[in-house]
Amino acid sequence: MTQLLIVGGSDAGISAALRAKELDSTVTPIIVMADDFPNFSICGLPFFLSGEVADWRNLAHRTKEDITLAGIQLLTNHTATAIRPQEKVVIAVDIEGNEKLLTYDRLLVGTGALSNRPHIAGIDLPGVYFLRWMADSFAVEKHIAQFHPKSAVIVGGGYIGLEMADALVLRGLNVTLVEHNPSVLKTVDPSLGEMVRAELQRHQVTVATGVSLETIQQQGNQLKVFGSNGFEAIADLVLVAVGAKPNTHLAQTAGIELGMTGAIRVNRKMETNLPDIYAAGDCVETWHRVLNQNSYLPLGTTAHKQGRVAGANAVGGNQEFAGSLGTQVVKIFDLAVARTGLRDREALAAGFDPLTVESEVWDHKVYYPGAHQLRIRVTGDRQTGKLLGAQIAGHYQGEVAKRVDIYATALFHGMTVEAINEIDLSYTPPLGSPWDAVQMSAQAWSKASHNVISVPESVRS
Amino acid sequence: MTQLLIVGGSDAGISAALRAKELDSTVTPIIVMADDFPNFSICGLPFFLSGEVADWRNLAHRTKEDITLAGIQLLTNHTATAIRPQEKVVIAVDIEGNEKLLTYDRLLVGTGALSNRPHIAGIDLPGVYFLRWMADSFAVEKHIAQFHPKSAVIVGGGYIGLEMADALVLRGLNVTLVEHNPSVLKTVDPSLGEMVRAELQRHQVTVATGVSLETIQQQGNQLKVFGSNGFEAIADLVLVAVGAKPNTHLAQTAGIELGMTGAIRVNRKMETNLPDIYAAGDCVETWHRVLNQNSYLPLGTTAHKQGRVAGANAVGGNQEFAGSLGTQVVKIFDLAVARTGLRDREALAAGFDPLTVESEVWDHKVYYPGAHQLRIRVTGDRQTGKLLGAQIAGHYQGEVAKRVDIYATALFHGMTVEAINEIDLSYTPPLGSPWDAVQMSAQAWSKASHNVISVPESVRS
């Protein structure tokens, strides 16, 4: 009977507990967690704040009851303050300051990430919010309910900033989005970032790019913000969403090593340097399948997969995490933007010889009503012809998300761009083309690379 | 300078011509074709007849001008009546009966398929139609315009029959669909077929399954139909859509061998038994990648791929057709139904040890508005754990088509069902789940197979 102790009740922790229990019914997983919201979809917070999710309780992937019924014990509102690896003990403190000693045979650290706090004067003023955990979300909701803000400044044009712009517009606020890069959504190439900007502007969001926010000041009941290039704005609410960093304090003080990225170093079995201690999710380094090295990619999908591997191994399995491809998608109003793998400059930095080719293709036969144009950027290696990555932007009903997943599945298997044309994909005029959009874009890449087939010299008779 | 002659101006022929020209600009492809509609999307005919495509000209994948500009010569309204392989000549006859001798260095036979004509008394009566080529489509359209039919009987509950039921309901007709199998869309399992039946009935289509149509009689201005089990109906129009058979007469009389399926036998280079004669598309046997043998699967996607391989090889390439997975999708009203690979009984017949597990999963997080439930059936092999096939039915906006393509891409690579969980797929709450629907269904299969991980005995400590 293995005692599996898990610190953290979000995706990695719950996933590990469920998998361990599934594979070994004698294990007794205990999850110690700082708040009272196990297995909550933190990716869902913007949709609660938008009003689209009426009841925050629905954001739970599973209820407490589901989790308990699966044979998992929850110790909520307990903060793990120390790990003593020699004694195989974790110390947890409840909200009244009482200490508990928790023993383990196997330990999983799933402490997640913390919001980055940029150097902005006045960032601690009332009315300035971050968004990572349920408590953050409740604070914003309470502010909206209490003060009925008419306007908001969002700092950061990444996934959460963009989703919150969408959410607050739905709530009727005037929104200004501030991003220090020249285009928003810097995780995709600028031509797609500009489509996001256009979609924001189409919904009356003011987009200020190339602006670093420097100061926030109270001005009456409002907040006045100042940034580089003379940027100024006044709003009732400021939301700061400039990324996350691994929450490693607990691990570090216990002697668990960090990697180059500042996150907990793990091997592909999700083992740390200390015996019987695993780590998974937003607090760890993630093995990147295309880069063939570790990176920091805090994503719920990855946390689930890593937790599942750690959970299996904690009960004697021998599983390896297959690696992240960096696959991501975001929906902003009617636009979906997705990516998988590497972009040109990332591939170049990793020693590839990349070529990126952009195509505009229809999601289905244009003669059938409702066709949406997709912009697809395919990145491949000129030397090997291999797919390195793909980016897609277009109407969310254009199956953008699952199209990027076709590329992701191809990338998982190390396919060449040209070989994507060989896959027997589905077709009916209302939902595709005889060569699917992902294949038309692959063909455009092949043509541009002059590597039209794998043995070009042999085809000219 | 290679003279490439192509018989047939539909998907396979055009695809071959374009690919040949792309790889060898000196080639002069000539396409001889029986009608005047090169590169028309015959999959689009129901959407023309539904009124959704206002102008039939829009059904062309490319216009005549596009094709000619690509350096391809079209000889329309010419029927190829004979191939003389020794002389490397094809005889073509124009609509006035004049013969032409066309020489070739390489020949591609892309003669397509013919509508099956079941043994039904009265099948040649006026008001009874088939649907395969543009001329069929014009005949139906003319009938509707002239006689304003109020009702139709459709014989056959396959792809075209179902799409035409949808189309004629949109045109305001009362539709009765007759299918001799116990459920419609027999290319998927009955539980999905029943979803199709419900969707048809939701749109006031009368569905008569288990009925073989036997007789059609004129009754005043109407047609009365009689079938097995005492089935009778009266309608203004009868449409027969009971599948297709390879059009092989030209090839056969020239000494080109047929395969076991009655279609032209080709190897994976799309070569026939005769030197310098290739064949592709609905007239040939198709190598099935999972069955590892030939089958008859007349689909536009396959025709395009085979044509592309034949076109490359006709100008000196050395390409092989990677094989069909039998991937298909159809949209009927709001329901999309898709499949790839093998179903249980097909897998059993092929010597596998299949298990099929059905799951009901949401297309995206159910807390976000507009979630659709998908029914997914995963078929895997108990011995090897390998994916053999998948079927999905659900609202067409639930990304059914591209989800089946994720399975298709996995199947292309011979993945195990369990390994599907390792693929880094995209996620955002409005468009997916941390484990995508395709992965949740894979996990359900794994659990049911008791093959939860590849080395189950090692995980219990």
Side-chain angles (χ1 to χ4, degrees), chain A residues 19 22-23 41 44 52 61 305 308 315-316 324-327 331 365 367-368 397 399 401-402 405 413 415 418 423-424 426 436 447 452-453 458-460, chain B residues 19 22-23 41 44 52 61 305 308 315-316 324-327 331 365 367-368 397 399 401-402 405 413 415 418 423-424 426 436 447 452-453 458-460:
Chain A
R19 185 59 168 164
E22 181 176 283
L23 296 176
S41 173
E52 289 161 293
H61 291 305
K305 288 181 186 66
R308 194 168 192 255
V315 293
S324 171
L325 303 165
T327 314
K331 174 179 173 292
K365 289 305 298 179
Y367 60 70
Y368 187 85
Q397 286 177 339
E399 305 202 39
K402 297 304 125 191
D405 288 348
H413 290 285
M415 289 187 95
E418 176 60 23
I423 310 169
D424 184 14
S426 64
D436 188 74
K447 275 185 198 170
V452 283
I453 60 172
S458 78
V459 298
R460 297 184 185 266
Chain B
R19 185 58 168 165
E22 180 177 283
L23 296 176
S41 174
E52 290 160 294
H61 291 306
K305 287 179 187 65
R308 193 167 193 255
V315 294
S324 171
L325 303 165
T327 313
K331 175 180 172 291
K365 289 305 296 181
Y367 61 71
Y368 187 84
Q397 287 178 338
E399 304 201 39
K402 296 305 125 190
D405 288 348
H413 290 284
M415 289 186 93
E418 176 60 25
I423 310 169
D424 185 14
S426 64
D436 188 73
K447 273 184 199 168
V452 282
I453 61 172
S458 78
V459 299
R460 299 187 183 261

Coordinates of all heavy atoms in Angstrom, one line a residue, chain A residues 19 22-23 41 44 52 61 305 308 315-316 324-327 331 365 367-368 397 399 401-402 405 413 415 418 423-424 426 436 447 452-453 458-460, chain B residues 19 22-23 41 44 52 61 305 308 315-316 324-327 331 365 367-368 397 399 401-402 405 413 415 418 423-424 426 436 447 452-453 458-460:
Chain A
R19 N -4.8 8.8 -12.0 CA -4.1 7.8 -12.7 C -3.5 6.7 -11.8 O -3.5 5.5 -12.0 CB -3.0 8.4 -13.6 CG -2.2 7.4 -14.5 CD -3.2 6.7 -15.4 NE -2.5 6.1 -16.5 CZ -3.0 5.1 -17.3 NH1 -4.3 4.8 -17.1 NH2 -2.3 4.6 -18.2
E22 N -6.2 4.6 -10.6 CA -6.7 3.7 -11.7 C -5.9 2.5 -11.8 O -6.3 1.4 -12.1 CB -6.7 4.6 -12.9 CG -7.2 3.9 -14.2 CD -7.3 4.9 -15.4 OE1 -8.2 5.7 -15.4 OE2 -6.4 4.9 -16.2
L23 N -4.6 2.7 -11.7 CA -3.6 1.6 -11.9 C -3.4 0.8 -10.7 O -2.9 -0.4 -10.8 CB -2.3 2.2 -12.4 CG -2.3 2.9 -13.8 CD1 -1.0 3.5 -14.1 CD2 -2.8 1.9 -14.9
S41 N -10.7 24.7 -13.4 CA -10.2 25.0 -14.7 C -9.7 26.5 -14.6 O -10.6 27.4 -14.8 CB -11.3 24.9 -15.7 OG -10.9 25.3 -17.0
G44 N -10.5 28.6 -17.4 CA -11.9 29.1 -17.5 C -12.2 30.4 -16.9 O -13.3 30.9 -17.0
E52 N -20.2 34.5 -19.2 CA -20.6 33.3 -20.0 C -20.8 32.1 -19.1 O -21.6 31.2 -19.4 CB -19.6 33.1 -21.1 CG -19.7 34.1 -22.2 CD -18.4 34.1 -23.0 OE1 -17.3 34.4 -22.5 OE2 -18.5 33.8 -24.2
H61 N -13.3 20.9 -13.1 CA -13.3 19.7 -14.0 C -14.1 18.6 -13.3 O -14.8 17.8 -13.9 CB -11.9 19.3 -14.3 CG -11.1 20.2 -15.2 ND1 -11.6 20.6 -16.4 CD2 -9.9 20.8 -15.0 CE1 -10.7 21.4 -16.9 NE2 -9.7 21.5 -16.1
K305 N -0.9 15.7 -18.8 CA -0.1 14.6 -19.3 C 1.0 14.3 -18.4 O 1.3 13.1 -18.1 CB 0.4 15.0 -20.7 CG -0.6 15.0 -21.8 CD 0.0 15.3 -23.1 CE -1.2 15.5 -24.2 NZ -2.0 16.6 -23.9
R308 N -0.3 12.5 -15.3 CA -0.7 11.1 -15.6 C 0.5 10.2 -15.6 O 0.5 9.1 -15.1 CB -1.4 11.1 -17.0 CG -2.2 9.8 -17.3 CD -3.1 10.0 -18.5 NE -4.0 8.9 -18.6 CZ -3.9 7.9 -19.5 NH1 -2.9 8.0 -20.4 NH2 -4.8 7.0 -19.6
V315 N 3.2 4.7 -8.7 CA 2.7 3.4 -8.3 C 3.5 2.2 -9.0 O 2.9 1.1 -9.1 CB 1.2 3.2 -8.4 CG1 0.5 4.2 -7.4 CG2 0.7 3.5 -9.8
G316 N 4.7 2.5 -9.4 CA 5.5 1.5 -9.9 C 5.6 1.3 -11.4 O 6.2 0.4 -12.0
S324 N 6.3 17.9 -25.0 CA 5.3 18.9 -25.5 C 5.7 19.4 -26.9 O 6.9 19.3 -27.3 CB 5.4 20.1 -24.6 OG 4.7 21.2 -25.1
L325 N 4.7 19.8 -27.7 CA 4.9 20.4 -29.0 C 4.6 21.9 -28.9 O 4.7 22.6 -29.9 CB 4.0 19.7 -30.0 CG 4.2 18.2 -30.2 CD1 3.0 17.7 -30.9 CD2 5.5 17.9 -30.9
G326 N 4.3 22.3 -27.7 CA 3.9 23.7 -27.6 C 2.6 24.1 -28.3 O 2.4 25.2 -28.7
T327 N 1.7 23.1 -28.4 CA 0.4 23.3 -29.1 C -0.5 24.2 -28.2 O -0.6 23.9 -27.0 CB -0.3 22.0 -29.3 OG1 0.7 21.1 -29.9 CG2 -1.4 22.2 -30.3
K331 N -9.2 31.7 -28.3 CA -10.3 32.3 -29.0 C -10.5 33.7 -28.5 O -10.7 33.9 -27.3 CB -11.6 31.4 -28.8 CG -12.9 32.1 -29.4 CD -14.1 31.1 -29.1 CE -15.4 31.8 -29.6 NZ -15.8 33.0 -28.7
K365 N -15.2 24.1 -49.0 CA -15.4 24.6 -50.4 C -16.1 25.9 -50.4 O -17.2 26.0 -49.8 CB -16.2 23.5 -51.2 CG -15.4 22.2 -51.5 CD -14.1 22.4 -52.2 CE -14.3 23.0 -53.6 NZ -12.9 23.1 -54.3
Y367 N -17.9 27.3 -52.5 CA -19.2 27.4 -53.1 C -20.3 27.1 -52.0 O -21.5 27.4 -52.2 CB -19.4 26.5 -54.3 CG -19.2 25.0 -54.1 CD1 -20.1 24.2 -53.4 CD2 -18.1 24.3 -54.7 CE1 -19.9 22.8 -53.2 CE2 -17.9 23.0 -54.5 CZ -18.8 22.2 -53.8 OH -18.6 20.9 -53.7
Y368 N -19.9 26.4 -50.9 CA -20.9 26.1 -49.9 C -21.0 27.3 -48.9 O -19.9 27.8 -48.5 CB -20.6 24.8 -49.2 CG -21.6 24.4 -48.2 CD1 -22.7 23.6 -48.7 CD2 -21.6 24.7 -46.9 CE1 -23.8 23.2 -47.8 CE2 -22.6 24.3 -46.0 CZ -23.7 23.6 -46.5 OH -24.7 23.2 -45.6
Q397 N -15.1 28.9 -36.0 CA -15.9 27.8 -36.6 C -15.3 27.2 -37.8 O -15.8 26.2 -38.4 CB -17.3 28.3 -36.9 CG -18.2 28.4 -35.6 CD -19.5 29.0 -35.8 OE1 -19.8 29.6 -36.9 NE2 -20.4 28.8 -34.9
E399 N -12.8 25.3 -37.7 CA -12.1 24.1 -37.2 C -10.6 24.4 -37.1 O -9.7 23.5 -37.4 CB -12.4 22.9 -38.0 CG -13.9 22.6 -38.1 CD -14.3 21.1 -38.4 OE1 -13.6 20.2 -37.9 OE2 -15.3 21.0 -39.2
A401 N -8.9 24.9 -34.3 CA -8.2 24.2 -33.2 C -7.9 22.8 -33.6 O -6.8 22.3 -33.4 CB -9.2 24.2 -32.0
K402 N -8.8 22.1 -34.2 CA -8.5 20.7 -34.6 C -7.7 20.6 -35.8 O -7.0 19.5 -36.0 CB -9.8 19.9 -34.7 CG -10.6 19.8 -33.4 CD -9.8 19.3 -32.2 CE -9.8 20.3 -31.0 NZ -8.8 19.9 -30.0
D405 N -4.3 20.6 -34.6 CA -4.1 19.3 -34.0 C -3.6 18.2 -35.0 O -3.0 17.3 -34.7 CB -5.3 18.8 -33.2 CG -5.5 19.6 -31.9 OD1 -4.6 20.3 -31.5 OD2 -6.6 19.4 -31.3
H413 N 5.0 12.7 -35.0 CA 5.6 11.6 -35.7 C 6.7 12.0 -36.6 O 7.2 11.2 -37.4 CB 4.5 10.9 -36.5 CG 3.5 10.1 -35.6 ND1 3.9 9.0 -35.0 CD2 2.3 10.4 -35.3 CE1 2.8 8.6 -34.3 NE2 1.8 9.4 -34.4
M415 N 6.9 13.9 -39.3 CA 6.6 13.8 -40.7 C 7.3 14.9 -41.5 O 7.5 16.0 -40.9 CB 5.1 14.0 -40.9 CG 4.2 12.8 -40.5 SD 2.5 13.0 -41.0 CE 2.5 12.1 -42.6
E418 N 5.8 17.5 -46.9 CA 5.3 16.8 -48.2 C 4.4 15.6 -47.8 O 3.3 15.4 -48.4 CB 6.4 16.5 -49.1 CG 6.0 15.7 -50.4 CD 5.1 16.5 -51.3 OE1 5.0 17.7 -51.2 OE2 4.3 15.8 -52.0
I423 N -1.8 11.9 -46.0 CA -2.8 11.4 -45.0 C -4.2 11.5 -45.6 O -4.6 12.5 -46.2 CB -2.7 12.3 -43.7 CG1 -1.2 12.5 -43.3 CG2 -3.5 11.7 -42.6 CD1 -1.1 13.5 -42.2
D424 N -4.9 10.4 -45.3 CA -6.3 10.3 -45.8 C -7.2 11.1 -44.9 O -7.7 10.5 -43.9 CB -6.7 8.9 -45.9 CG -8.0 8.6 -46.5 OD1 -8.6 9.6 -47.1 OD2 -8.5 7.5 -46.4
S426 N -10.6 13.6 -44.0 CA -12.0 13.6 -44.3 C -12.4 14.7 -45.2 O -11.8 15.8 -45.2 CB -12.9 13.6 -43.1 OG -12.7 14.8 -42.4
D436 N -7.4 19.0 -47.8 CA -7.8 19.8 -46.7 C -6.9 21.1 -46.7 O -5.7 21.1 -47.2 CB -7.7 19.1 -45.4 CG -8.3 19.9 -44.3 OD1 -9.5 20.0 -44.2 OD2 -7.5 20.5 -43.5
K447 N 6.1 23.8 -52.6 CA 6.5 24.6 -53.8 C 7.5 25.6 -53.5 O 8.5 25.8 -54.3 CB 5.2 25.2 -54.4 CG 4.4 24.3 -55.3 CD 3.2 25.1 -55.9 CE 2.2 24.0 -56.4 NZ 1.0 24.6 -56.8
V452 N 9.8 19.9 -54.1 CA 8.4 19.5 -54.3 C 8.1 18.1 -54.0 O 7.1 17.7 -53.6 CB 7.9 19.9 -55.7 CG1 7.6 21.4 -55.8 CG2 8.9 19.5 -56.8
I453 N 9.1 17.2 -54.4 CA 9.0 15.8 -53.8 C 10.3 15.4 -53.3 O 11.3 16.1 -53.5 CB 8.4 14.8 -54.9 CG1 9.4 14.7 -56.1 CG2 7.0 15.1 -55.3 CD1 9.0 13.6 -57.0
S458 N 15.0 13.1 -59.8 CA 14.6 11.9 -60.5 C 13.3 12.1 -61.3 O 13.0 11.3 -62.1 CB 14.4 10.7 -59.5 OG 13.1 10.9 -58.9
V459 N 12.6 13.2 -61.1 CA 11.3 13.3 -61.7 C 11.3 13.9 -63.0 O 10.3 13.9 -63.7 CB 10.3 14.0 -60.8 CG1 10.1 13.3 -59.5 CG2 10.7 15.5 -60.6
R460 N 12.4 14.5 -63.4 CA 12.4 15.2 -64.7 C 13.0 14.2 -65.7 O 14.1 13.8 -65.6 CB 13.3 16.4 -64.7 CG 12.6 17.4 -63.7 CD 13.3 18.8 -63.6 NE 12.6 19.5 -62.6 CZ 11.6 20.4 -62.8 NH1 11.2 20.6 -64.1 NH2 11.0 21.0 -61.9
Chain B
R19 N 0.0 17.9 -61.4 CA 1.2 17.4 -60.8 C 2.3 17.2 -61.8 O 3.5 17.6 -61.6 CB 0.9 16.2 -60.0 CG 2.1 15.7 -59.1 CD 2.6 16.7 -58.1 NE 3.5 16.2 -57.2 CZ 4.3 16.9 -56.4 NH1 4.3 18.2 -56.4 NH2 5.1 16.3 -55.5
E22 N 3.6 20.5 -62.9 CA 4.4 21.1 -61.8 C 5.8 20.6 -61.7 O 6.7 21.3 -61.5 CB 3.6 20.9 -60.5 CG 4.2 21.5 -59.3 CD 3.3 21.2 -58.0 OE1 2.3 21.9 -57.9 OE2 3.6 20.3 -57.2
L23 N 5.9 19.3 -62.0 CA 7.2 18.6 -61.8 C 8.0 18.7 -63.1 O 9.3 18.6 -63.1 CB 7.0 17.2 -61.4 CG 6.4 17.0 -60.0 CD1 6.2 15.5 -59.7 CD2 7.3 17.6 -58.9
S41 N -16.8 19.4 -59.0 CA -16.9 18.8 -57.7 C -18.2 18.0 -57.7 O -19.3 18.5 -57.4 CB -17.0 19.9 -56.6 OG -17.2 19.3 -55.3
G44 N -20.3 18.1 -54.8 CA -21.1 19.3 -54.6 C -22.5 19.3 -55.2 O -23.3 20.2 -54.9
E52 N -28.4 25.8 -52.2 CA -27.3 26.5 -51.5 C -26.2 27.0 -52.4 O -25.6 28.0 -52.1 CB -26.7 25.6 -50.4 CG -27.7 25.2 -49.3 CD -27.3 24.0 -48.5 OE1 -27.3 22.9 -49.1 OE2 -27.0 24.1 -47.3
H61 N -13.8 23.0 -59.2 CA -12.6 23.3 -58.4 C -11.8 24.3 -59.1 O -11.2 25.2 -58.5 CB -11.8 22.0 -58.2 CG -12.5 20.9 -57.4 ND1 -12.9 21.2 -56.1 CD2 -12.7 19.6 -57.6 CE1 -13.4 20.1 -55.6 NE2 -13.4 19.1 -56.5
K305 N -5.3 12.1 -54.5 CA -4.0 11.6 -54.1 C -3.4 10.6 -55.1 O -2.2 10.7 -55.4 CB -4.1 10.9 -52.7 CG -4.3 11.9 -51.6 CD -4.5 11.2 -50.2 CE -4.8 12.1 -49.2 NZ -6.2 12.7 -49.3
R308 N -2.3 12.5 -58.1 CA -1.0 13.2 -57.9 C 0.2 12.3 -58.0 O 1.2 12.6 -58.6 CB -1.1 13.8 -56.5 CG 0.0 14.9 -56.2 CD -0.4 15.6 -54.9 NE 0.5 16.8 -54.8 CZ 1.5 16.9 -53.9 NH1 1.8 15.9 -53.2 NH2 2.2 18.0 -53.9
V315 N 5.8 11.4 -65.3 CA 7.0 12.2 -65.8 C 8.3 11.8 -65.1 O 9.2 12.6 -65.0 CB 6.7 13.7 -65.6 CG1 5.5 14.2 -66.4 CG2 6.5 14.1 -64.1
G316 N 8.3 10.5 -64.8 CA 9.6 9.9 -64.3 C 9.8 9.9 -62.8 O 10.9 9.5 -62.4
S324 N -5.2 4.3 -48.6 CA -6.4 4.9 -48.0 C -6.7 4.4 -46.6 O -6.3 3.3 -46.3 CB -7.6 4.6 -48.9 OG -8.8 5.0 -48.3
L325 N -7.3 5.2 -45.8 CA -7.7 4.8 -44.5 C -9.3 4.7 -44.5 O -9.9 4.4 -43.4 CB -7.3 5.8 -43.4 CG -5.8 6.1 -43.3 CD1 -5.5 7.3 -42.5 CD2 -5.1 4.9 -42.7
G326 N -9.9 5.0 -45.6 CA -11.3 5.0 -45.7 C -12.0 6.1 -44.9 O -13.1 6.0 -44.4
T327 N -11.2 7.2 -44.8 CA -11.7 8.4 -44.0 C -12.8 9.1 -44.8 O -12.7 9.3 -46.0 CB -10.6 9.4 -43.7 OG1 -9.4 8.7 -43.3 CG2 -11.0 10.4 -42.7
K331 N -22.3 15.5 -43.8 CA -23.1 16.4 -43.0 C -24.6 16.3 -43.5 O -24.9 16.4 -44.7 CB -22.7 17.9 -43.2 CG -23.5 18.9 -42.5 CD -23.0 20.3 -42.8 CE -23.9 21.4 -42.2 NZ -25.2 21.5 -43.0
K365 N -15.4 22.4 -23.2 CA -15.8 22.4 -21.8 C -17.2 22.8 -21.7 O -17.7 23.8 -22.2 CB -14.9 23.4 -21.0 CG -13.5 23.0 -20.8 CD -13.3 21.6 -20.1 CE -13.8 21.5 -18.7 NZ -13.5 20.2 -18.1
Y367 N -18.9 24.0 -19.4 CA -19.3 25.2 -18.8 C -19.4 26.4 -19.7 O -20.0 27.4 -19.5 CB -18.4 25.6 -17.6 CG -16.9 25.7 -17.8 CD1 -16.4 26.8 -18.5 CD2 -16.0 24.8 -17.4 CE1 -15.1 27.0 -18.8 CE2 -14.7 25.0 -17.6 CZ -14.2 26.1 -18.3 OH -12.9 26.2 -18.5
Y368 N -18.7 26.3 -20.9 CA -18.7 27.3 -21.9 C -19.9 27.1 -22.8 O -20.1 26.0 -23.2 CB -17.4 27.3 -22.7 CG -17.3 28.5 -23.6 CD1 -16.9 29.8 -23.1 CD2 -17.7 28.5 -24.9 CE1 -16.8 30.9 -23.9 CE2 -17.7 29.6 -25.7 CZ -17.2 30.8 -25.2 OH -17.2 31.9 -26.1
Q397 N -20.7 21.7 -35.9 CA -19.8 22.7 -35.4 C -19.0 22.1 -34.2 O -18.2 22.9 -33.6 CB -20.6 23.9 -35.0 CG -21.1 24.7 -36.2 CD -21.9 25.9 -35.9 OE1 -22.5 26.0 -34.8 NE2 -22.0 26.8 -36.8
E399 N -16.5 20.3 -34.5 CA -15.3 19.9 -35.1 C -15.1 18.4 -35.3 O -14.1 17.8 -35.1 CB -14.1 20.5 -34.3 CG -14.2 22.0 -34.2 CD -12.9 22.7 -33.9 OE1 -11.8 22.4 -34.4 OE2 -12.9 23.7 -33.1
A401 N -15.4 16.7 -38.1 CA -14.6 16.3 -39.3 C -13.1 16.3 -39.0 O -12.4 15.4 -39.3 CB -14.9 17.3 -40.5
K402 N -12.6 17.4 -38.4 CA -11.2 17.5 -38.1 C -10.8 16.6 -36.9 O -9.6 16.2 -36.8 CB -10.7 18.9 -38.0 CG -11.0 19.7 -39.3 CD -10.3 19.1 -40.5 CE -11.3 18.9 -41.6 NZ -10.7 18.1 -42.7
D405 N -10.0 13.4 -38.3 CA -8.7 13.5 -39.0 C -7.5 13.4 -38.0 O -6.4 12.9 -38.4 CB -8.6 14.9 -39.7 CG -9.5 14.9 -41.0 OD1 -10.0 13.9 -41.4 OD2 -9.6 16.0 -41.5
H413 N 0.0 6.5 -38.8 CA 1.3 6.1 -38.2 C 1.2 4.9 -37.3 O 2.2 4.6 -36.6 CB 1.8 7.3 -37.3 CG 2.2 8.5 -38.2 ND1 3.4 8.5 -38.9 CD2 1.5 9.6 -38.5 CE1 3.4 9.7 -39.6 NE2 2.3 10.4 -39.4
M415 N -0.4 4.1 -34.6 CA -0.3 4.4 -33.2 C -1.2 3.4 -32.4 O -2.2 2.9 -32.9 CB -0.8 5.8 -32.8 CG 0.1 6.9 -33.2 SD -0.6 8.5 -32.6 CE 0.4 8.6 -31.1
E418 N -3.7 3.9 -26.7 CA -3.2 4.5 -25.5 C -2.2 5.7 -25.9 O -2.3 6.8 -25.2 CB -2.4 3.5 -24.7 CG -1.8 4.0 -23.4 CD -2.7 4.7 -22.4 OE1 -3.9 4.4 -22.4 OE2 -2.2 5.5 -21.7
I423 N -0.3 12.8 -27.5 CA -0.2 13.8 -28.4 C -0.6 15.2 -27.8 O -1.6 15.3 -27.1 CB -1.1 13.6 -29.7 CG1 -0.9 12.2 -30.2 CG2 -0.8 14.6 -30.8 CD1 -1.9 11.8 -31.3
D424 N 0.2 16.2 -28.0 CA 0.0 17.5 -27.5 C -1.0 18.2 -28.3 O -0.6 18.9 -29.3 CB 1.4 18.2 -27.4 CG 1.3 19.6 -26.7 OD1 0.2 19.8 -26.1 OD2 2.2 20.4 -26.9
S426 N -4.3 20.9 -28.9 CA -4.6 22.2 -28.5 C -5.8 22.3 -27.5 O -6.7 21.4 -27.6 CB -4.9 23.1 -29.7 OG -6.1 22.7 -30.3
D436 N -8.5 16.2 -25.0 CA -9.5 16.4 -26.1 C -10.4 15.2 -26.1 O -10.1 14.1 -25.7 CB -8.8 16.6 -27.4 CG -9.8 17.0 -28.5 OD1 -10.3 18.1 -28.4 OD2 -10.2 16.1 -29.3
K447 N -9.4 1.7 -20.8 CA -10.0 1.1 -19.6 C -10.7 -0.1 -19.9 O -10.6 -1.1 -19.2 CB -10.9 2.2 -18.9 CG -10.2 3.1 -18.0 CD -11.1 4.0 -17.3 CE -10.4 5.2 -16.8 NZ -11.3 6.3 -16.3
V452 N -4.6 -0.9 -19.7 CA -4.6 0.6 -19.4 C -3.2 1.2 -19.7 O -3.2 2.3 -20.1 CB -5.0 0.8 -17.9 CG1 -6.5 0.8 -17.8 CG2 -4.3 -0.1 -17.0
I453 N -2.1 0.5 -19.5 CA -0.9 0.9 -20.0 C -0.2 -0.3 -20.7 O -0.6 -1.4 -20.5 CB 0.1 1.7 -19.1 CG1 0.5 0.8 -17.9 CG2 -0.6 3.0 -18.6 CD1 1.5 1.4 -17.0
S458 N 3.6 -4.4 -14.5 CA 4.7 -3.7 -13.8 C 4.2 -2.6 -12.9 O 5.0 -2.1 -12.2 CB 5.7 -3.2 -14.8 OG 5.2 -2.0 -15.4
V459 N 3.0 -2.2 -13.1 CA 2.6 -0.9 -12.4 C 2.1 -1.2 -11.0 O 1.9 -0.2 -10.3 CB 1.6 -0.1 -13.2 CG1 2.2 0.3 -14.6 CG2 0.3 -0.8 -13.4
R460 N 1.8 -2.4 -10.7 CA 1.2 -2.6 -9.4 C 2.4 -3.0 -8.4 O 3.0 -4.0 -8.6 CB 0.2 -3.8 -9.5 CG -0.9 -3.4 -10.4 CD -2.1 -4.3 -10.4 NE -3.0 -3.8 -11.4 CZ -4.1 -3.1 -11.1 NH1 -4.4 -2.8 -9.8 NH2 -4.9 -2.6 -12.0

